[in-house]
Amino acid sequence: MSRQVPYEYHARHLHHSRAAYPSFLSLHETVWIHAKCLLRGLFDAFRWDLVIKTATSDPEIRSNILKSILLNSLSLASIYAFDLLLQPLVHDHPSWLRRNVGWCYRVLWLLPVVGASFYLNSTWCNTIAKRTFVLQYGNRAVLPRHVSYTGMLNTLATSAYRTVMVLTSVIVSFGLGAIPGAGPFISFAFMCWIDAFVWVARGLSLANRVRHLEERWAYYFAFGFPSAAICTWGSGLANAALFALLFPAYIIMAMTARPAPQDPYNPLSASDTVRYPSPLIPIRLPIFAIVIRLNDILVQILSITGSAGQVTRHHRALSHSSEKAEEGAGMDTPGLTNNVNARLSHRNEPRSLVERTREHRKEPPVDRRKKRG
């Protein structure tokens, strides 16, 4: 005969199983939460009062913003001067004159001005971001570090990888725009997230920045919507100059923003029980999956070609190599890091039980030559 389970044990076990099962929000509650996140993102994207307050309170930020405005205004004036003045003047002239005038103006004046503007603007915006971060989170947020030659190479690798990732994202957006039908709308939505990703700094690594944005996709879509809408109505160079003109302001807005929800897996964090969003609406959208995959392939190609004839294959997870490259460690630097890696590998080698016991007790090593003498 089978042994019967007491009713009290069965009820207690059933109650424990019911308590262990996750609790979900309804569909309309989840939609309402995402709608509030959209409104919060739009509200934070128009906080020009914070930009004015920050610029007027700190002279370093104010001077860099003014320099950025002047230089990018010169770039915009140069771009529209050709479109509105020079091109109509030579419109009735022969085709070779129109072609040569346009070519000379772009090569000799427009491209150098725009290139210098982008380079100097990136330097000034980096200073604005660091200074705003210090004002927002205090001096303890920025720890002084000793800059070595290897650290300088890592910094250059980090900047290069971020630039390549942004350029890859722009190329992917152009590819999405070529999709028939809904392509332009998908491309515009992707550009909203790209603009928001550029301003997500907060001292995070690449993988954490991507995860932070993809788990708050509704908020960052709305946050990047105004800048994407402004920077898509003109020509290519004009859109880039407008983006550079808005860049310092949105860096300050991003530093002072409070992305919502605070916990994407428990958006109603005020309640005692954990309630996950509805399974019908994804918590995390893989927005940058294609971009990160392309950058993984690029990093692997550069790592293979950078090694001196030694081809090694690394089977790593998605975005792991990207995070290493963004931290300056994804690309091989032979002759610089071999000694450091050798020391680290020697330090991480498994030690014997006697060595670990001596290190724990802090006993000095025994000199066997003295005992023999």
Side-chain angles (χ1 to χ4, degrees), residues 155-175:
T155 304
L156 292 176
T158 299
S159 302
Y161 186 83
R162 289 177 180 174
T163 304
V164 170
M165 183 172 180
V166 173
L167 293 177
T168 308
S169 301
V170 174
I171 294 173
V172 171
S173 68
F174 290 154

Side-chain angles (χ1 to χ4, degrees), residues 188 191-192 195 224-234 239 242:
F188 177 77
M191 284 300 298
C192 294
D195 291 352
F225 182 86
S227 60
I230 293 174
C231 299
T232 53
W233 66 274
N239 292 335
L242 284 173

Side-chain angles (χ1 to χ4, degrees), residues 196-209:
F197 175 78
V198 173
W199 298 311
V200 179
R202 299 180 180 273
L204 302 177
S205 62
L206 176 67
N208 291 330
R209 289 173 67 184

Side-chain angles (χ1 to χ4, degrees), residues 110-340:
L110 190 58
L111 291 180
V113 170
V114 174
S117 175
F118 288 164
Y119 175 77
L120 294 175
N121 194 72
S122 62
T123 305
W124 296 333
C125 290
N126 189 24
T127 305
I128 293 172
K130 290 181 179 179
R131 185 59 184 166
T132 307
F133 192 81
V134 170
L135 293 177
Q136 186 71 16
Y137 300 100
N139 293 325
R140 295 182 179 180
V142 182
L143 299 177
R145 295 179 299 177
H146 177 68
V147 180
S148 60
Y149 182 70
T150 307
M152 184 180 66
L153 292 180
N154 292 341
T155 304
L156 292 176
T158 299
S159 302
Y161 186 83
R162 289 177 180 174
T163 304
V164 170
M165 183 172 180
V166 173
L167 293 177
T168 308
S169 301
V170 174
I171 294 173
V172 171
S173 68
F174 290 154
L176 293 175
I179 299 176
F185 301 98
I186 298 175
S187 176
F188 177 77
F190 189 66
M191 284 300 298
C192 294
W193 282 310
I194 292 174
D195 291 352
F197 175 78
V198 173
W199 298 311
V200 179
R202 299 180 180 273
L204 302 177
S205 62
L206 176 67
N208 291 330
R209 289 173 67 184
V210 172
R211 184 182 184 90
H212 180 81
L213 186 142
E214 291 180 344
E215 290 178 347
R216 296 160 181 85
W217 51 269
Y219 173 87
Y220 282 109
F221 172 79
F223 187 80
F225 182 86
S227 60
I230 293 174
C231 299
T232 53
W233 66 274
S235 60
L237 286 177
N239 292 335
L242 284 173
F243 182 81
L245 186 63
L246 297 173
F247 198 76
Y250 275 95
I251 282 179
I252 298 175
M253 292 182 193
M255 288 292 180
T256 56
R258 293 291 181 269
Q262 186 176 3
D263 186 2
Y265 295 89
N266 184 23
L268 298 179
S269 56
S271 59
D272 296 333
T273 59
V274 177
R275 299 183 64 187
Y276 298 94
S278 174
L280 299 177
I281 299 179
I283 299 177
R284 181 178 180 180
L285 287 181
I287 300 168
F288 293 99
I290 300 176
V291 177
I292 292 178
R293 184 58 183 170
L294 292 176
N295 283 281
D296 284 340
I297 296 174
L298 179 61
V299 168
Q300 291 178 1
I301 292 174
L302 293 177
S303 300
I304 292 175
T305 56
S307 58
Q310 298 179 358
V311 180
T312 57
R313 294 186 178 182
H314 303 281
H315 299 279
R316 291 174 289 189
L318 183 64
S319 79
H320 179 71
S321 60
S322 301
E323 183 179 2
K324 291 297 183 182
E326 192 267 344
E327 294 173 354
M331 302 172 66
D332 297 334
T333 54
L336 292 174
T337 58
N338 290 336
N339 295 332
V340 177

Side-chain angles (χ1 to χ4, degrees), residues 47-58:
R47 293 301 304 271
W48 291 95
D49 57 328
L50 293 177
V51 177
I52 297 173
K53 181 180 177 181
T54 305
T56 54
S57 62
D58 190 81

Side-chain angles (χ1 to χ4, degrees), residues 7 49 87 104-106 119 178 214 248 272 283 303 329 343 357:
Y7 176 76
D49 57 328
Q87 194 169 6
C104 292
Y105 182 81
R106 289 188 179 94
Y119 175 77
E214 291 180 344
D272 296 333
I283 299 177
S303 300
R343 293 176 183 176
T357 306

